[in-house]
Amino acid sequence: MVGTAAGAAEGAVRRWVDAAGGRLVLDGGLATELEANGADLNDPLWSAKCLLSSPHLIRKVHMDYLEAGANILITASYQATIQGFESKGFSKEQSENLLTKSVEIALEAREMFLKEHLEKSIPIQHPILVAASIGSYGAYLADGSEYSGDYGEAGTKEFLKDFHRRRLQVLAEAGPDLIAFETIPNKLEAQAYVELLEECNINIPAWLSFNSKDGVHIVSGDSVIECTTIADKCAKVGAVGINCTPPRFIHGLILSIRKVTDKPILIYPNSGERYDGEKKEWVESTGVSDGDFVSYVNEWCKDGAALIGGCCRTTPNTIRAIQRTLNQGFN
């Protein structure tokens, strides 16, 4: 039987979905939008570099996505880790403060957005939420292993739990509405995450989001069904889904996920292009246009997706088009 771990986390996500009219819209690519706004992210910290150099750009991109109709902002902490900041010479306390800052910037953007609309007497009836992003251990390594799930000798569950534990606690204490475990490349890390949620007594909803290269397995070769089952069994996980995956694979992945869980399904694919983690560049120009991307939205809704947005190389225009499509209803 699916949905055996239904609890407060799932209930909270469902209430937010209902309050938004049946679908929540996530934001789109953060790092690629920061680059479009002039940020140089050629650094192991990637988008988290802007926490140091240009937090105003992060706030601007968050605001752009809110204006485009996003219900959920994902923080600039995907590649922000205590270990990564310490390698740059920061103390543990300074590193933790930078993690907190990633949430504070998103919360500030939400307050600015709500204040502007209040002053213009424009009602905001849908929820606006902040999800604190936690990227994989492979994202910290910045060597492309987040796209393979191959961590070598570091690939033990206890090691991964030790790596993520304090980061999870700091981000949860910063006041987000959700914890977003993103671009999970193997089931071992998913197991580490759900155990940490219990051990750290995290009392805000989390989601687990995996990435796939073939529409059947996640990038490590582990099956999507196995990985979804791990999320389904954790009462602290409110939603499960797929991100940073070409749009053409999403239909089949949603159907696989639905076989083993009743939790809300979230989908935020990339533009369809492929990222070379070693060269640190997008190496194919096979991405879909905003129009083509959005053409999939009706299908994903029919399949059962409740939270829909974009990942790398998607833009506020993508999110605006998704919101417009959802407002028109799907057939």
Side-chain angles (χ1 to χ4, degrees):
M1 179 180 177
V2 298
T4 54
E10 181 180 335
V13 174
R14 291 193 182 281
R15 286 192 294 274
W16 287 325
V17 169
D18 290 342
R23 297 289 184 282
L24 280 169
V25 177
L26 286 70
D27 61 10
L30 176 63
T32 45
E33 274 303 292
L34 288 170
E35 289 176 324
N37 279 273
D40 177 7
L41 304 185
N42 185 21
D43 189 279
L45 290 177
W46 200 37
S47 57
K49 178 185 176 185
C50 288
L51 293 169
L52 306 172
S53 62
S54 45
H56 64 287
L57 289 184
I58 299 174
R59 189 179 299 105
K60 178 185 182 301
V61 173
H62 284 331
M63 288 290 287
D64 289 345
Y65 278 120
L66 290 175
E67 292 291 351
N71 302 127
I72 300 179
L73 294 176
I74 302 176
T75 63
S77 52
Y78 174 80
Q79 209 139 325
T81 63
I82 294 169
Q83 299 88 337
F85 290 131
E86 287 179 332
S87 72
K88 296 283 189 179
F90 292 92
S91 68
K92 185 173 186 289
E93 181 180 6
Q94 289 172 323
S95 300
E96 291 183 359
N97 287 341
L98 285 166
L99 285 172
T100 299
K101 185 177 182 179
S102 70
V103 177
E104 290 175 344
I105 293 170
L107 294 173
E108 288 167 6
R110 176 171 67 183
E111 289 306 309
M112 289 171 60
F113 177 79
L114 292 174
K115 182 179 179 182
E116 287 180 6
H117 281 69
L118 179 63
E119 290 173 350
K120 297 176 182 177
S121 299
I122 303 174
I124 300 295
Q125 297 177 341
H126 57 75
I128 299 176
L129 308 169
V130 170
S133 173
I134 294 181
S136 69
Y137 175 66
Y140 156 72
L141 294 176
D143 63 357
S145 57
E146 67 194 289
Y147 299 105
S148 70
D150 182 4
Y151 295 161
E153 295 180 358
T156 69
K157 185 170 64 176
E158 290 308 313
F159 175 89
L160 294 172
K161 286 166 65 175
D162 288 343
F163 177 82
H164 289 295
R165 181 176 285 106
R166 184 56 186 157
R167 178 193 193 189
L168 170 60
Q169 292 170 328
V170 171
L171 287 170
E173 291 166 2
D177 303 292
L178 296 136
I179 298 291
F181 296 105
E182 301 187 279
T183 325
I184 306 169
N186 57 49
K187 66 180 181 182
L188 187 71
E189 199 152 19
Q191 290 168 334
Y193 287 148
V194 298
E195 290 184 17
L196 280 177
L197 287 171
E198 297 291 349
E199 292 172 13
C200 297
N201 195 29
I202 302 301
N203 291 317
I204 57 177
W207 79 55
L208 265 61
S209 185
F210 302 90
N211 59 330
S212 172
K213 291 188 290 191
D214 63 5
V216 178
H217 308 88
I218 66 171
V219 293
S220 63
D222 296 329
S223 86
V224 168
I225 287 178
E226 284 185 79
C227 294
T228 302
T229 300
I230 292 169
D232 181 68
K233 291 179 179 179
C234 181
K236 293 182 180 293
V237 173
V240 60
I242 301 292
N243 77 294
C244 210
T245 295
R248 66 184 183 277
F249 293 138
I250 298 301
H251 169 69
L253 290 165
I254 295 175
L255 298 185
S256 294
I257 290 169
R258 285 183 60 190
K259 291 178 181 178
V260 289
T261 190
D262 287 331
K263 292 182 188 290
I265 296 173
L266 69 150
I267 298 298
Y268 51 120
N270 58 34
S271 65
E273 296 163 275
R274 184 174 66 85
Y275 184 74
D276 187 318
E278 295 182 0
K279 294 182 179 179
K280 295 181 171 54
E281 62 185 18
W282 296 90
V283 297
E284 293 182 357
S285 58
T286 56
V288 298
S289 67
D290 286 341
D292 291 336
F293 185 101
V294 172
S295 71
Y296 287 99
V297 170
N298 283 344
E299 179 180 54
W300 298 338
C301 289
K302 291 176 184 178
D303 292 338
L307 300 88
I308 298 174
C311 200
C312 296
R313 309 279 275 189
T314 61
T315 71
N317 284 337
T318 314
I319 302 310
R320 187 173 289 108
I322 291 173
Q323 184 65 265
R324 187 183 306 119
T325 299
L326 295 177
N327 287 341
Q328 293 171 348
F330 61 94
N331 299 308

